[in-house]
Amino acid sequence: MNHTIEQLMTAAYELFPKGMQGDEPGYADTPEVKNQRRATAKARASHAAWRSVLRALEETYPEKQFPGVSVQNLSMGLLAEHGDADDRCFAANLWLPTRGTDEHAHYILFRVSFVVPYFSIHSTSLKYTDVYFTTMRLAPGALRAYDSPMLSEDELPFGRKIDEAIRAAFPGYEAMSTSVGNTIVPDIVVGGHFFGEATLFDALFSVHWR
Amino acid sequence: MKRHAIIPVILSSILGACTHTDGQCWLRSEDSGGSGVGGGVVGPPVGGFGDDIAPTPQNTAGGVPPDCQSNITGFSASLFKFATTVADDGEGKAGGYQEASTTLVFIDGRQDPTETWTCNVWMKMPLRTEKLGTISATKAAEIASDVTTFSSSAVMHSRPSWQPTLFCGKFQDMMNEVFKNSYPGLGAQATAKR
Protein backbone atom coordinates (compact mmCIF):
# COMPACT_ATOMS: atom_id res chain seq x y z
CA MET A 1 0.00 0.00 0.00
CA ASN A 2 1.13 3.50 -0.76
CA HIS A 3 0.17 4.87 2.63
CA THR A 4 1.02 3.85 6.16
CA ILE A 5 -1.71 3.21 8.70
CA GLU A 6 -0.63 6.40 10.45
CA GLN A 7 -1.20 8.40 7.26
CA LEU A 8 -4.62 6.84 6.82
CA MET A 9 -5.42 7.65 10.45
CA THR A 10 -4.46 11.24 9.78
CA ALA A 11 -6.84 11.26 6.81
CA ALA A 12 -9.61 9.97 9.10
CA TYR A 13 -8.88 12.66 11.68
CA GLU A 14 -9.20 15.29 8.98
CA LEU A 15 -12.82 14.17 8.49
CA PHE A 16 -13.99 13.45 12.02
CA PRO A 17 -13.23 15.70 15.01
CA LYS A 18 -11.42 13.94 17.81
CA GLY A 19 -13.34 13.46 21.01
CA MET A 20 -16.67 14.74 19.67
CA GLN A 21 -19.99 13.04 19.05
CA GLY A 22 -22.33 14.09 16.29
CA ASP A 23 -24.92 15.57 18.63
CA GLU A 24 -22.54 17.96 20.41
CA PRO A 25 -22.99 21.68 19.85
CA GLY A 26 -20.69 22.98 17.16
CA TYR A 27 -20.00 19.55 15.68
CA ALA A 28 -21.47 20.40 12.28
CA ASP A 29 -19.33 23.51 12.07
CA THR A 30 -16.00 21.84 12.80
CA PRO A 31 -13.33 21.98 10.09
CA GLU A 32 -13.45 18.19 9.90
CA VAL A 33 -17.16 18.04 9.06
CA LYS A 34 -16.68 20.85 6.56
CA ASN A 35 -13.99 18.66 4.97
CA GLN A 36 -16.58 15.87 4.66
CA ARG A 37 -18.98 18.20 2.88
CA ARG A 38 -16.27 19.40 0.53
CA ALA A 39 -15.33 15.81 -0.30
CA THR A 40 -18.94 14.91 -1.01
CA ALA A 41 -19.40 17.91 -3.29
CA LYS A 42 -16.23 16.95 -5.14
CA ALA A 43 -17.42 13.36 -5.49
CA ARG A 44 -20.75 14.55 -6.81
CA ALA A 45 -18.92 16.49 -9.48
CA SER A 46 -16.76 13.50 -10.43
CA HIS A 47 -19.58 11.01 -10.59
CA ALA A 48 -18.70 10.24 -14.22
CA ALA A 49 -15.68 8.15 -13.24
CA TRP A 50 -17.85 6.06 -10.98
CA ARG A 51 -20.45 5.62 -13.70
CA SER A 52 -17.74 4.40 -16.04
CA VAL A 53 -16.90 1.60 -13.59
CA LEU A 54 -20.53 0.50 -13.54
CA ARG A 55 -20.83 0.78 -17.30
CA ALA A 56 -17.69 -1.31 -17.85
CA LEU A 57 -19.12 -4.07 -15.70
CA GLU A 58 -22.50 -3.90 -17.40
CA GLU A 59 -20.75 -4.29 -20.74
CA THR A 60 -18.60 -7.15 -19.44
CA TYR A 61 -21.64 -9.02 -18.19
CA PRO A 62 -24.53 -8.61 -20.64
CA GLU A 63 -27.73 -10.06 -19.28
CA LYS A 64 -28.27 -12.61 -22.04
CA GLN A 65 -24.85 -14.16 -21.66
CA PHE A 66 -24.70 -13.85 -17.89
CA PRO A 67 -28.17 -14.45 -16.45
CA GLY A 68 -28.35 -13.50 -12.80
CA VAL A 69 -25.41 -11.10 -13.04
CA SER A 70 -26.22 -7.41 -12.71
CA VAL A 71 -24.86 -4.18 -11.30
CA GLN A 72 -26.64 -2.24 -8.56
CA ASN A 73 -25.47 1.31 -7.98
CA LEU A 74 -25.77 2.15 -4.28
CA SER A 75 -24.57 5.72 -4.70
CA MET A 76 -27.46 7.32 -6.51
CA GLY A 77 -28.18 9.40 -3.43
CA LEU A 78 -24.88 11.20 -3.86
CA LEU A 79 -26.41 13.00 -6.80
CA ALA A 80 -28.89 14.77 -4.53
CA GLU A 81 -27.63 18.32 -4.27
CA HIS A 82 -28.57 18.81 -0.65
CA GLY A 83 -27.47 15.34 0.38
CA ASP A 84 -25.74 14.97 3.71
CA ALA A 85 -22.18 13.73 3.78
CA ASP A 86 -23.14 10.25 4.91
CA ASP A 87 -20.59 8.30 2.88
CA ARG A 88 -16.99 8.77 1.87
CA CYS A 89 -17.18 6.29 -0.97
CA PHE A 90 -19.03 5.21 -4.04
CA ALA A 91 -20.57 1.77 -3.61
CA ALA A 92 -22.23 -0.89 -5.74
CA ASN A 93 -23.16 -4.54 -5.71
CA LEU A 94 -22.39 -6.95 -8.49
CA TRP A 95 -25.19 -9.48 -8.15
CA LEU A 96 -24.30 -13.06 -8.94
CA PRO A 97 -26.44 -16.16 -9.47
CA THR A 98 -27.38 -17.98 -6.30
CA ARG A 99 -25.68 -21.26 -5.46
CA GLY A 100 -28.06 -23.80 -4.04
CA THR A 101 -31.48 -23.72 -2.48
CA ASP A 102 -30.32 -22.34 0.86
CA GLU A 103 -29.00 -19.13 -0.70
CA HIS A 104 -31.43 -16.27 -1.30
CA ALA A 105 -28.96 -13.74 -2.68
CA HIS A 106 -25.31 -13.55 -3.62
CA TYR A 107 -23.33 -10.45 -4.51
CA ILE A 108 -19.97 -8.73 -4.39
CA LEU A 109 -19.94 -5.32 -2.71
CA PHE A 110 -17.31 -2.94 -4.03
CA ARG A 111 -16.57 0.49 -2.66
CA VAL A 112 -14.32 3.23 -3.99
CA SER A 113 -13.30 5.88 -1.49
CA PHE A 114 -13.31 9.47 -2.64
CA VAL A 115 -11.22 10.70 0.28
CA VAL A 116 -8.27 8.32 -0.10
CA PRO A 117 -7.11 6.43 -3.23
CA TYR A 118 -8.33 3.02 -2.12
CA PHE A 119 -11.11 0.59 -2.87
CA SER A 120 -12.44 -2.54 -1.18
CA ILE A 121 -14.16 -5.66 -2.46
CA HIS A 122 -15.93 -8.35 -0.51
CA SER A 123 -18.68 -10.88 -1.08
CA THR A 124 -21.97 -11.45 0.68
CA SER A 125 -24.17 -14.50 0.69
CA LEU A 126 -27.65 -14.19 2.17
CA LYS A 127 -28.86 -17.55 3.37
CA TYR A 128 -32.24 -18.64 4.67
CA THR A 129 -32.53 -19.23 8.41
CA ASP A 130 -34.89 -21.46 10.36
CA VAL A 131 -37.13 -18.41 10.72
CA TYR A 132 -37.73 -18.43 7.00
CA PHE A 133 -38.48 -22.13 6.85
CA THR A 134 -40.90 -21.74 9.76
CA THR A 135 -42.73 -18.71 8.43
CA MET A 136 -41.95 -18.93 4.69
CA ARG A 137 -41.73 -15.14 4.77
CA LEU A 138 -38.79 -12.81 4.23
CA ALA A 139 -39.38 -11.10 7.55
CA PRO A 140 -36.49 -9.76 9.64
CA GLY A 141 -34.46 -12.73 10.77
CA ALA A 142 -35.39 -14.86 7.78
CA LEU A 143 -32.03 -14.26 6.13
CA ARG A 144 -28.54 -14.18 7.50
CA ALA A 145 -25.64 -12.44 5.76
CA TYR A 146 -22.30 -14.14 5.42
CA ASP A 147 -19.67 -11.58 4.43
CA SER A 148 -16.19 -12.50 3.28
CA PRO A 149 -13.25 -10.35 2.21
CA MET A 150 -11.78 -13.47 0.59
CA LEU A 151 -13.58 -14.22 -2.65
CA SER A 152 -14.36 -17.85 -3.34
CA GLU A 153 -13.18 -19.60 -6.48
CA ASP A 154 -16.45 -18.93 -8.32
CA GLU A 155 -16.36 -15.26 -7.30
CA LEU A 156 -12.74 -14.57 -8.19
CA PRO A 157 -13.22 -13.97 -11.94
CA PHE A 158 -15.88 -11.36 -11.13
CA GLY A 159 -13.64 -9.82 -8.50
CA ARG A 160 -10.82 -9.46 -11.00
CA LYS A 161 -13.10 -7.65 -13.46
CA ILE A 162 -14.25 -5.29 -10.73
CA ASP A 163 -10.64 -4.65 -9.77
CA GLU A 164 -9.74 -3.91 -13.41
CA ALA A 165 -12.71 -1.58 -13.91
CA ILE A 166 -11.91 0.42 -10.79
CA ARG A 167 -8.21 0.77 -11.59
CA ALA A 168 -9.06 1.89 -15.13
CA ALA A 169 -11.45 4.61 -13.95
CA PHE A 170 -9.47 5.64 -10.87
CA PRO A 171 -5.77 5.54 -11.80
CA GLY A 172 -3.45 5.11 -8.85
CA TYR A 173 -6.07 3.46 -6.66
CA GLU A 174 -5.31 0.22 -4.89
CA ALA A 175 -7.17 -2.26 -2.74
CA MET A 176 -7.25 -1.64 0.99
CA SER A 177 -6.74 -4.90 2.85
CA THR A 178 -9.22 -5.92 5.49
CA SER A 179 -6.55 -5.91 8.16
CA VAL A 180 -5.79 -2.26 7.43
CA GLY A 181 -9.42 -1.23 6.87
CA ASN A 182 -10.51 -2.74 10.16
CA THR A 183 -7.92 -0.81 12.14
CA ILE A 184 -9.63 1.07 14.94
CA VAL A 185 -9.34 4.85 14.81
CA PRO A 186 -9.45 5.96 18.44
CA ASP A 187 -11.20 9.13 19.57
CA ILE A 188 -13.71 9.51 16.76
CA VAL A 189 -17.36 8.57 16.28
CA VAL A 190 -18.60 7.52 12.85
CA GLY A 191 -22.33 6.92 12.58
CA GLY A 192 -23.26 4.32 15.16
CA HIS A 193 -19.64 3.38 15.76
CA PHE A 194 -18.49 5.06 18.91
CA PHE A 195 -15.11 5.77 20.49
CA GLY A 196 -13.00 2.66 20.17
CA GLU A 197 -15.32 1.10 17.58
CA ALA A 198 -14.88 3.22 14.45
CA THR A 199 -12.48 1.79 11.88
CA LEU A 200 -10.60 3.14 8.88
CA PHE A 201 -13.24 1.51 6.68
CA ASP A 202 -15.96 3.39 8.59
CA ALA A 203 -14.20 6.74 8.39
CA LEU A 204 -12.78 6.54 4.88
CA PHE A 205 -15.56 4.53 3.22
CA SER A 206 -18.98 4.15 4.84
CA VAL A 207 -20.94 2.79 7.77
CA HIS A 208 -23.91 2.16 5.50
CA TRP A 209 -22.42 -0.10 2.87
CA ARG A 210 -20.47 -2.80 4.69
CA MET B 1 -47.14 -4.03 41.07
CA LYS B 2 -46.27 -1.29 38.64
CA ARG B 3 -45.67 -2.59 35.17
CA HIS B 4 -43.06 -0.88 33.05
CA ALA B 5 -43.21 -0.48 29.34
CA ILE B 6 -40.99 0.70 26.54
CA ILE B 7 -43.08 2.73 24.20
CA PRO B 8 -41.52 4.24 21.12
CA VAL B 9 -43.78 7.10 20.25
CA ILE B 10 -43.82 9.54 17.44
CA LEU B 11 -43.18 13.25 17.64
CA SER B 12 -45.05 15.07 14.97
CA SER B 13 -42.62 17.24 13.09
CA ILE B 14 -45.44 19.60 12.26
CA LEU B 15 -47.20 20.02 15.56
CA GLY B 16 -44.06 19.74 17.65
CA ALA B 17 -45.65 19.10 21.00
CA CYS B 18 -48.15 16.59 19.71
CA THR B 19 -47.23 13.01 20.40
CA HIS B 20 -48.78 9.81 19.20
CA THR B 21 -48.51 6.42 20.78
CA ASP B 22 -48.69 4.26 17.71
CA GLY B 23 -45.43 2.60 18.64
CA GLN B 24 -44.56 -0.75 20.12
CA CYS B 25 -44.89 -1.82 23.69
CA TRP B 26 -43.02 -4.23 25.88
CA LEU B 27 -43.46 -4.96 29.53
CA ARG B 28 -40.62 -5.15 32.00
CA SER B 29 -41.98 -8.43 33.26
CA GLU B 30 -41.46 -9.83 29.78
CA ASP B 31 -37.97 -8.37 29.58
CA SER B 32 -36.28 -10.46 32.25
CA GLY B 33 -34.59 -13.79 32.50
CA GLY B 34 -33.16 -13.54 29.03
CA SER B 35 -29.69 -13.27 27.73
CA GLY B 36 -28.38 -11.26 30.62
CA VAL B 37 -28.41 -8.05 28.69
CA GLY B 38 -31.94 -7.08 29.41
CA GLY B 39 -33.47 -9.01 26.60
CA GLY B 40 -35.82 -11.66 27.78
CA VAL B 41 -37.90 -11.35 24.69
CA VAL B 42 -35.63 -13.13 22.29
CA GLY B 43 -36.44 -13.50 18.68
CA PRO B 44 -34.73 -14.32 15.44
CA PRO B 45 -31.25 -13.06 14.70
CA VAL B 46 -30.87 -10.41 12.07
CA GLY B 47 -27.16 -10.80 11.58
CA GLY B 48 -24.40 -8.56 12.79
CA PHE B 49 -25.12 -6.38 15.78
CA GLY B 50 -27.68 -7.87 18.11
CA ASP B 51 -27.45 -11.35 16.67
CA ASP B 52 -28.31 -13.08 19.88
CA ILE B 53 -30.66 -10.58 21.35
CA ALA B 54 -33.03 -9.34 18.68
CA PRO B 55 -36.50 -9.62 20.16
CA THR B 56 -39.81 -10.26 18.59
CA PRO B 57 -42.17 -7.35 19.20
CA GLN B 58 -44.99 -8.30 21.49
CA ASN B 59 -48.26 -8.98 19.83
CA THR B 60 -50.82 -7.02 21.75
CA ALA B 61 -53.72 -8.21 19.69
CA GLY B 62 -54.63 -10.99 22.09
CA GLY B 63 -55.02 -8.74 25.11
CA VAL B 64 -53.57 -5.30 25.55
CA PRO B 65 -51.50 -4.93 28.71
CA PRO B 66 -52.79 -2.24 31.07
CA ASP B 67 -49.87 0.15 30.55
CA CYS B 68 -50.00 -0.04 26.77
CA GLN B 69 -52.13 2.05 24.53
CA SER B 70 -54.62 0.07 22.54
CA ASN B 71 -53.34 1.40 19.24
CA ILE B 72 -49.72 0.43 19.76
CA THR B 73 -48.69 -1.52 16.71
CA GLY B 74 -45.36 -0.01 15.67
CA PHE B 75 -44.10 3.12 13.97
CA SER B 76 -46.71 4.22 11.47
CA ALA B 77 -45.90 4.44 7.78
CA SER B 78 -47.59 7.84 7.81
CA LEU B 79 -44.55 9.24 9.62
CA PHE B 80 -42.34 8.82 6.60
CA LYS B 81 -43.13 11.42 3.95
CA PHE B 82 -40.85 10.46 1.11
CA ALA B 83 -39.89 13.11 -1.41
CA THR B 84 -37.90 12.64 -4.59
CA THR B 85 -34.38 14.02 -4.35
CA VAL B 86 -33.02 12.62 -7.62
CA ALA B 87 -35.47 12.21 -10.49
CA ASP B 88 -35.59 8.86 -12.24
CA ASP B 89 -34.27 9.37 -15.76
CA GLY B 90 -35.86 6.08 -16.81
CA GLU B 91 -32.58 4.70 -18.06
CA GLY B 92 -31.02 1.45 -16.96
CA LYS B 93 -32.40 -1.05 -14.51
CA ALA B 94 -32.67 1.34 -11.60
CA GLY B 95 -32.94 5.04 -11.03
CA GLY B 96 -33.99 7.96 -8.92
CA TYR B 97 -33.75 8.54 -5.22
CA GLN B 98 -36.13 9.51 -2.45
CA GLU B 99 -35.69 10.54 1.13
CA ALA B 100 -37.78 11.01 4.25
CA SER B 101 -36.91 12.35 7.66
CA THR B 102 -38.79 12.20 10.92
CA THR B 103 -38.24 12.35 14.65
CA LEU B 104 -38.97 9.30 16.74
CA VAL B 105 -39.47 9.47 20.47
CA PHE B 106 -38.49 6.61 22.75
CA ILE B 107 -39.76 6.10 26.26
CA ASP B 108 -37.95 3.44 28.25
CA GLY B 109 -40.24 2.53 31.08
CA ARG B 110 -37.92 -0.19 32.31
CA GLN B 111 -35.99 2.44 34.19
CA ASP B 112 -37.05 4.44 37.20
CA PRO B 113 -37.44 7.27 36.48
CA THR B 114 -38.58 6.62 32.95
CA GLU B 115 -36.12 7.79 30.30
CA THR B 116 -37.33 9.65 27.23
CA TRP B 117 -35.31 10.67 24.20
CA THR B 118 -35.57 11.30 20.49
CA CYS B 119 -33.69 10.19 17.40
CA ASN B 120 -33.81 12.12 14.15
CA VAL B 121 -34.11 9.55 11.39
CA TRP B 122 -33.37 9.87 7.69
CA MET B 123 -34.45 7.13 5.30
CA LYS B 124 -33.12 7.01 1.75
CA MET B 125 -33.90 4.59 -1.04
CA PRO B 126 -34.14 4.44 -4.84
CA LEU B 127 -37.33 5.13 -6.77
CA ARG B 128 -36.82 2.16 -9.05
CA THR B 129 -34.83 -1.01 -8.50
CA GLU B 130 -34.08 -4.04 -10.60
CA LYS B 131 -34.83 -6.56 -7.87
CA LEU B 132 -37.90 -4.98 -6.26
CA GLY B 133 -39.31 -2.88 -9.08
CA THR B 134 -40.75 0.58 -8.50
CA ILE B 135 -40.62 1.83 -4.92
CA SER B 136 -43.49 4.26 -4.58
CA ALA B 137 -43.49 6.76 -1.75
CA THR B 138 -46.21 4.67 -0.12
CA LYS B 139 -44.19 1.49 -0.43
CA ALA B 140 -41.08 3.26 0.84
CA ALA B 141 -43.00 4.45 3.89
CA GLU B 142 -44.24 0.93 4.61
CA ILE B 143 -40.72 -0.40 4.43
CA ALA B 144 -39.45 2.40 6.67
CA SER B 145 -42.21 1.61 9.16
CA ASP B 146 -41.27 -2.07 9.26
CA VAL B 147 -37.56 -1.40 9.59
CA THR B 148 -37.86 1.20 12.36
CA THR B 149 -40.36 -0.88 14.28
CA PHE B 150 -38.26 -4.01 14.23
CA SER B 151 -34.93 -2.26 14.77
CA SER B 152 -36.08 -0.14 17.71
CA SER B 153 -37.28 -3.26 19.46
CA ALA B 154 -34.11 -5.18 18.75
CA VAL B 155 -31.82 -2.43 19.95
CA MET B 156 -33.90 -1.46 22.97
CA HIS B 157 -33.79 -4.99 24.31
CA SER B 158 -30.09 -5.44 23.73
CA ARG B 159 -29.29 -3.47 26.91
CA PRO B 160 -31.12 -2.93 30.18
CA SER B 161 -30.73 0.83 29.80
CA TRP B 162 -29.51 3.27 27.19
CA GLN B 163 -27.56 6.47 26.87
CA PRO B 164 -29.64 8.28 24.19
CA THR B 165 -26.80 9.16 21.77
CA LEU B 166 -25.55 5.60 21.91
CA PHE B 167 -29.06 4.29 21.30
CA CYS B 168 -29.56 6.40 18.18
CA GLY B 169 -26.23 5.23 16.76
CA LYS B 170 -26.93 1.57 17.38
CA PHE B 171 -30.48 2.05 16.08
CA GLN B 172 -28.91 3.31 12.85
CA ASP B 173 -26.62 0.28 12.65
CA MET B 174 -29.51 -2.10 13.19
CA MET B 175 -31.70 -0.42 10.57
CA ASN B 176 -28.92 -0.78 8.02
CA GLU B 177 -28.47 -4.44 8.98
CA VAL B 178 -32.19 -5.01 8.51
CA PHE B 179 -32.11 -3.29 5.14
CA LYS B 180 -29.21 -5.48 4.11
CA ASN B 181 -30.64 -8.75 5.40
CA SER B 182 -34.36 -8.31 4.85
CA TYR B 183 -34.53 -6.09 1.76
CA PRO B 184 -31.67 -7.29 -0.43
CA GLY B 185 -31.73 -5.48 -3.72
CA LEU B 186 -33.37 -2.36 -2.34
CA GLY B 187 -30.21 -0.35 -1.75
CA ALA B 188 -31.67 1.68 1.10
CA GLN B 189 -29.80 3.39 3.89
CA ALA B 190 -30.82 4.80 7.23
CA THR B 191 -29.25 7.41 9.46
CA ALA B 192 -30.24 8.14 13.04
CA LYS B 193 -28.84 10.96 15.14
CA ARG B 194 -29.86 12.65 18.31
Side-chain angles (χ1 to χ4, degrees):
Chain A
M1 286 181 50
N2 289 330
H3 296 80
T4 63
I5 288 180
E6 288 69 29
Q7 288 173 315
L8 295 171
M9 291 266 199
T10 300
Y13 287 130
E14 287 172 359
L15 297 164
F16 293 90
K18 282 185 184 177
M20 285 187 84
Q21 300 187 46
D23 61 344
E24 289 184 41
Y27 179 88
D29 297 321
T30 59
E32 291 85 355
V33 174
K34 287 178 181 172
N35 286 339
Q36 284 184 42
R37 291 200 198 101
R38 269 193 289 273
T40 305
K42 199 174 162 189
R44 208 171 278 142
S46 64
H47 209 252
W50 172 240
R51 294 299 302 222
S52 74
V53 174
L54 306 182
R55 203 176 310 115
L57 291 170
E58 285 166 353
E59 289 169 359
T60 302
Y61 300 111
E63 199 170 2
K64 284 184 181 174
Q65 285 173 256
F66 296 91
V69 179
S70 64
V71 181
Q72 179 190 18
N73 182 10
L74 299 171
S75 295
M76 288 186 288
L78 273 175
L79 293 175
E81 283 301 323
H82 71 284
D84 274 351
D86 283 341
D87 293 329
R88 272 74 51 202
C89 70
F90 298 109
N93 289 327
L94 181 67
W95 285 77
L96 303 176
T98 53
R99 305 158 294 185
T101 54
D102 65 333
E103 188 171 62
H104 175 77
H106 177 207
Y107 56 83
I108 296 175
L109 169 70
F110 54 102
R111 308 180 295 176
V112 179
S113 174
F114 48 72
V115 293
V116 288
Y118 290 91
F119 61 89
S120 79
I121 297 173
H122 76 251
S123 73
T124 294
S125 170
L126 285 173
K127 293 191 171 180
Y128 297 109
T129 67
D130 288 344
V131 173
Y132 176 77
F133 293 112
T134 303
T135 63
M136 296 309 285
R137 286 182 60 241
L138 283 180
L143 297 172
R144 187 181 183 94
Y146 295 86
D147 299 326
S148 173
M150 300 294 291
L151 301 188
S152 60
E153 208 164 293
D154 61 310
E155 294 165 340
L156 270 174
F158 297 100
R160 286 193 199 102
K161 289 295 181 188
I162 293 169
D163 187 295
E164 285 172 19
I166 292 171
R167 290 178 195 272
F170 294 90
Y173 270 60
E174 51 181 338
M176 182 178 286
S177 69
T178 307
S179 60
V180 171
N182 285 335
T183 303
I184 298 291
V185 186
D187 307 327
I188 64 170
V189 174
V190 185
H193 298 188
F194 287 80
F195 300 119
E197 296 176 343
T199 66
L200 285 173
F201 272 149
D202 297 333
L204 303 177
F205 287 76
S206 173
V207 292
H208 291 106
W209 315 118
R210 295 159 56 85
Chain B
M1 184 177 78
K2 184 181 177 185
R3 307 181 82 185
H4 297 262
I6 307 165
I7 309 173
V9 293
I10 316 310
L11 180 64
S12 164
S13 57
I14 299 171
L15 298 177
C18 176
T19 59
H20 305 265
T21 52
D22 50 343
Q24 299 171 74
C25 176
W26 301 268
L27 298 178
R28 189 182 191 186
S29 58
E30 294 164 338
D31 194 23
S32 60
S35 61
V37 288
V41 185
V42 179
V46 191
F49 173 77
D51 260 6
D52 57 345
I53 46 180
T56 303
Q58 296 302 286
N59 178 4
T60 58
V64 180
D67 284 2
C68 298
Q69 301 286 333
S70 60
N71 61 342
I72 290 172
T73 56
F75 290 119
S76 167
S78 64
L79 291 164
F80 301 95
K81 311 289 187 193
F82 277 86
T84 297
T85 54
V86 179
D88 183 3
D89 59 10
E91 293 185 14
K93 296 172 181 171
Y97 215 64
Q98 57 191 324
E99 301 181 13
S101 63
T102 190
T103 301
L104 306 182
V105 180
F106 299 87
I107 300 173
D108 185 355
R110 298 173 303 173
Q111 302 170 65
D112 195 8
T114 295
E115 284 283 332
T116 303
W117 65 89
T118 61
C119 298
N120 297 309
V121 174
W122 291 262
M123 289 286 188
K124 305 178 181 183
M125 57 186 82
L127 291 169
R128 181 170 52 89
T129 70
E130 179 188 6
K131 303 288 181 189
L132 302 175
T134 300
I135 310 296
S136 66
T138 303
K139 178 68 178 170
E142 288 168 0
I143 292 171
S145 165
D146 285 349
V147 170
T148 51
T149 296
F150 181 85
S151 301
S152 62
S153 172
V155 175
M156 185 69 83
H157 280 279
S158 66
R159 293 189 182 199
S161 63
W162 280 97
Q163 190 270 334
T165 299
L166 188 64
F167 177 89
C168 295
K170 297 306 178 190
F171 182 43
Q172 169 180 312
D173 285 352
M174 179 58 79
M175 288 190 288
N176 286 305
E177 285 291 334
V178 174
F179 274 134
K180 176 178 178 176
N181 291 3
S182 297
Y183 297 91
L186 178 59
Q189 62 173 265
T191 302
K193 298 174 184 173
R194 277 211 77 204

